[in-house]
Amino acid sequence: MLMTRWEPLAELGRLSREMERMFSRDGGSLGHLLGANAFPALNVWEDAEQLYVEAELPGFELEDLEIYVTGNHLTIKGQRNAPKHEGGTWHRQERSYGAFSRSFELPSDIDGDRVNARFHDGVLRIELPKSEAVRPKRIEVQRS
Amino acid sequence: MSTAVTQNAPIGDQAAKPDLTDGNRAGKQAQCFLPRFDIWEGDDAWVLYGHLPGVSSEHLDVQFEDHRLTIHGKVAHHQDSRTLWYGEYGVGDFQRSFTVGESVDAAKISAELKNGVLTVRLPKQERAKARRIEIQAH
């Protein structure tokens, strides 16, 4: 006999999908599909010299963030703590807390010594200069 | 009945506004996102915590009018000269409204913005605070 069970976790999953739709901020691009469940969401820009990575990390402190670059791999780690309250009642909790770690493959090798990261208004901005070897070089054409 | 006048659901959420659009590629104008909020209630006040990354205090507008708390944060657009290589989230302004019951002392509402987190404190009026009744033993 086919049993229909109430599955609280499935219910939660459905709720969370509803929430995701409600808060949907995906770029409408492939990125959303690839990194759908990864935290934090990343935007990556590129020009000839550098890559620019941004992530929204509201509620984090600068000292709680760690950034590592190896070759073309970027790793961001951090921890966000919940506000502390004695007693009382939480009516709504849409924000999430805890530790995260995300590794990301960049389109080119990075000069790790010159990486520059800033954290302002809860937004992390990382400037990653491309390593000398992968930067475009203009070749002088010699007259023969 | 008890004399405590703690109301049920004093803070309503008016989230589902038709002008809130789904995210799009970063860089486009006229987008508004729904910020995530936590709401905590204590004996003396409600405290709201909202995520408003990229909003600085001069671009944040918190209004309280007719029992309605409205939060609007402007986010600067940038990176125009660069090519978006990979995008997982859209960038735009944040807006959200909450209806607040009679029991909030509007004159004492305070707000603070730090590291992209907005904290709004809504103190309860004296008469709305739950009172603890001392019971005397005989």
Side-chain angles (χ1 to χ4, degrees):
Chain A
M1 195 178 121
L2 188 71
M3 299 276 283
T4 309
R5 283 189 312 173
W6 180 66
E7 292 177 81
L9 279 177
E11 194 72 5
L12 267 179
R14 191 179 57 77
L15 260 177
S16 113
R17 276 193 301 279
E18 295 275 315
M19 291 284 276
E20 281 307 316
R21 196 157 54 235
M22 176 179 169
F23 291 105
S24 178
R25 295 187 59 191
D26 65 88
S29 64
L30 196 62
H32 175 63
L33 297 172
L34 294 173
N37 295 313
F39 182 90
L42 299 175
N43 280 344
V44 184
W45 287 265
E46 180 179 25
D47 64 19
E49 306 282 308
Q50 299 196 91
L51 292 163
Y52 306 84
V53 175
E54 285 193 13
E56 292 179 335
L57 295 165
F60 286 87
E61 300 285 340
L62 190 59
E63 47 271 29
D64 298 334
L65 294 171
E66 293 172 53
I67 301 159
Y68 303 94
V69 177
T70 323
N72 69 336
H73 271 84
L74 170 71
T75 303
I76 309 172
K77 292 182 185 181
Q79 166 120 14
R80 176 162 58 201
N81 300 313
K84 287 188 182 69
H85 282 296
E86 296 284 325
T89 314
W90 286 99
H91 289 290
R92 191 176 279 270
Q93 283 189 298
E94 297 165 357
R95 310 189 302 156
S96 54
Y97 307 100
F100 76 87
S101 172
R102 182 166 186 196
S103 286
F104 190 83
E105 199 173 330
L106 296 163
S108 60
D109 281 356
I110 298 304
D111 182 352
D113 293 335
R114 295 195 297 125
V115 172
N116 169 27
R118 283 168 301 141
F119 186 62
H120 194 57
D121 293 331
V123 179
L124 178 68
R125 295 190 169 92
I126 314 173
E127 292 185 6
L128 306 124
K130 294 181 186 175
S131 79
E132 212 52 56
V134 298
R135 271 199 239 169
K137 286 188 187 65
R138 187 180 170 132
I139 312 296
E140 292 295 326
V141 180
Q142 295 183 345
R143 269 173 212 279
S144 58
Chain B
M1 287 294 289
S2 107
T3 52
V5 271
T6 310
Q7 297 173 356
N8 283 329
I11 301 180
D13 188 1
Q14 305 190 342
K17 297 189 73 177
D19 58 336
L20 293 167
T21 58
D22 273 354
N24 245 315
R25 195 167 286 256
K28 278 188 196 164
Q29 297 291 320
Q31 282 181 43
C32 213
F33 296 108
L34 202 61
R36 289 172 188 259
F37 264 88
D38 287 358
I39 299 173
W40 178 83
E41 181 186 356
D43 290 340
D44 302 326
W46 287 275
V47 184
L48 278 66
Y49 299 93
H51 280 171
L52 300 167
V55 178
S56 56
S57 51
E58 60 264 32
H59 292 120
L60 173 67
D61 186 29
V62 180
Q63 284 195 13
F64 185 76
E65 195 182 2
D66 200 18
H67 302 296
R68 199 178 156 114
L69 182 77
T70 302
I71 293 136
H72 184 91
K74 274 205 172 75
V75 176
H77 297 280
H78 57 100
Q79 312 279 22
D80 291 338
S81 60
R82 299 159 191 172
T83 316
L84 184 69
W85 176 73
Y86 180 84
E88 287 177 351
Y89 67 93
V91 176
D93 294 355
F94 291 103
Q95 177 151 343
R96 192 153 178 186
S97 292
F98 299 94
T99 35
V100 175
E102 297 279 347
S103 48
V104 166
D105 191 344
K108 290 187 185 152
I109 295 175
S110 61
E112 184 200 4
L113 183 67
K114 193 193 170 203
N115 283 345
V117 178
L118 171 69
T119 306
V120 185
R121 197 180 147 81
L122 305 158
K124 293 183 183 179
Q125 288 186 4
E126 275 307 313
R127 59 175 179 81
K129 290 181 189 169
R131 286 177 196 87
R132 191 191 172 103
I133 314 295
E134 293 295 326
I135 301 184
Q136 295 181 347
H138 290 285

